[in-house]
Amino acid sequence: MNVLVTGGAGFIGSHTVERLLSEGARVVVLDNFNDYYDPAIKRENLRAVRDQVTVIEGDLRDPSVVEQAFTALEGGLDAVIHLAARAGVRPSIEQPELYIDTNIKGTFYLLEACKRHGVKRFVFASSSSVYGVNKKVPFAEEDPILQTISPYAMTKMAGEQMCSNYSALVGIHTVCLRFFTVYGPRQRPDLAISKFTRLIHEDQPIDRYGKGDTARDYTFISDIVDGILGALAYSADEAAPKCSIFNLGGSQTVKLNELIEVIENSLGKKAEINEMPEQPGDVPLTSADVSKAAKLLNFKPTTHIDSGIPRFVEWWLNMRSKGLR
């Protein structure tokens, strides 16, 4: 099987690429190695498999680069796993046009290329942020979404709608995956777990927005990759709906104060807390109903945060020793 993984040098992407290779797939990685965080980290993510994949370094917003990725392997592509995106809720509030341009237009160019080349399987990385301030807990795929509260979430919802369009009009089998706060080795340095680990390790204060009672459904990276590969297999099922949406979460909602405590225990250091007001665009709670994914994708998250955070911290300290964190 020939698979294009966009954002394949990133956190989730590089783990997905490794799993695909282990299962015998031929992989093309499309990544622009942008400076949202240190590009050297992304290159390190791919170092172990660099000679086993075809890497196209370029921007999703350039149709010629997308075309290059679709024609890089002899025999063409069988499927696309679209993980590339401009990430982050707070930066999207500051630069909405960049997020609209990258996340919406980039997804459009990929789906157009699928149409042109007859690629019928498309897995799209969406986000739990599309639920906004959802009063029903846990969040289920059938819940009505009437309002998103950040440009980032809006672009992910637009991506889901585009997938629906191309499924209905072109016959591409699309699977949209709503990720719930993914963490683990290679996590981006701007995300809370990475940032807190670095600051506590350096004896610097951490910013805690609100009272620390916001809660997230944290999902370990290996569990997420299980879900992605399950979705890829599902996209080959001719009997399945042409467009499907699944939650991928850890089913373990954890409050911010509890998260900080687990990181403290893993590092053997106490955090100095800098109290901050609540942030615009942040949702107070995420909680995934994964029963649909369990039934149809055989998705069974197994890693609790009490074991996942120590594994992340061990990896982080190793990267720190190499000057990459």
Side-chain angles (χ1 to χ4, degrees), residues 86-97 99 150-153 155:
R86 202 71 193 190
V89 167
R90 292 169 194 164
S92 79
I93 296 170
E94 298 165 4
Q95 297 178 288
E97 186 173 359
Y99 280 70
S150 71
Y152 171 72
T155 64

Side-chain angles (χ1 to χ4, degrees), residues 14 18 47 91 127-128 137-138 172 174 245 288 293 317:
S14 60
E18 288 179 352
R47 184 178 57 81
S127 167
S128 62
V137 177
I172 300 170
T174 61
I245 296 173
L317 291 170

Side-chain angles (χ1 to χ4, degrees), residues 163-214:
C163 286
S164 175
N165 285 184
Y166 278 80
S167 292
L169 300 175
V170 183
I172 300 170
H173 191 163
T174 61
V175 185
C176 303
L177 303 176
R178 293 174 177 168
F179 296 159
F180 281 70
T181 315
V182 189
Y183 75 102
R186 303 181 196 161
Q187 188 189 49
R188 298 196 329 257
D190 63 299
L191 293 176
I193 292 173
S194 289
K195 195 183 300 182
F196 289 171
T197 299
R198 176 180 62 81
L199 292 171
I200 295 170
H201 179 74
E202 295 174 352
D203 299 313
Q204 295 186 45
I206 63 173
D207 291 340
R208 186 184 68 189
Y209 294 93
K211 299 298 183 183
D213 54 5
T214 56

Side-chain angles (χ1 to χ4, degrees), residues 128 131-132 134 136-141 143 180-181 215-218 247-254 283-290:
S128 62
Y131 287 108
N134 192 2
K136 175 183 163 291
V137 177
F139 304 168
E141 295 88 347
D143 293 347
F180 281 70
T181 315
R216 296 287 179 269
D217 191 337
Y218 293 97
N247 289 335
L248 293 186
S251 297
Q252 47 178 330
T253 300
V254 177
V283 297
L285 169 72
T286 64
S287 178
D289 178 346
V290 298

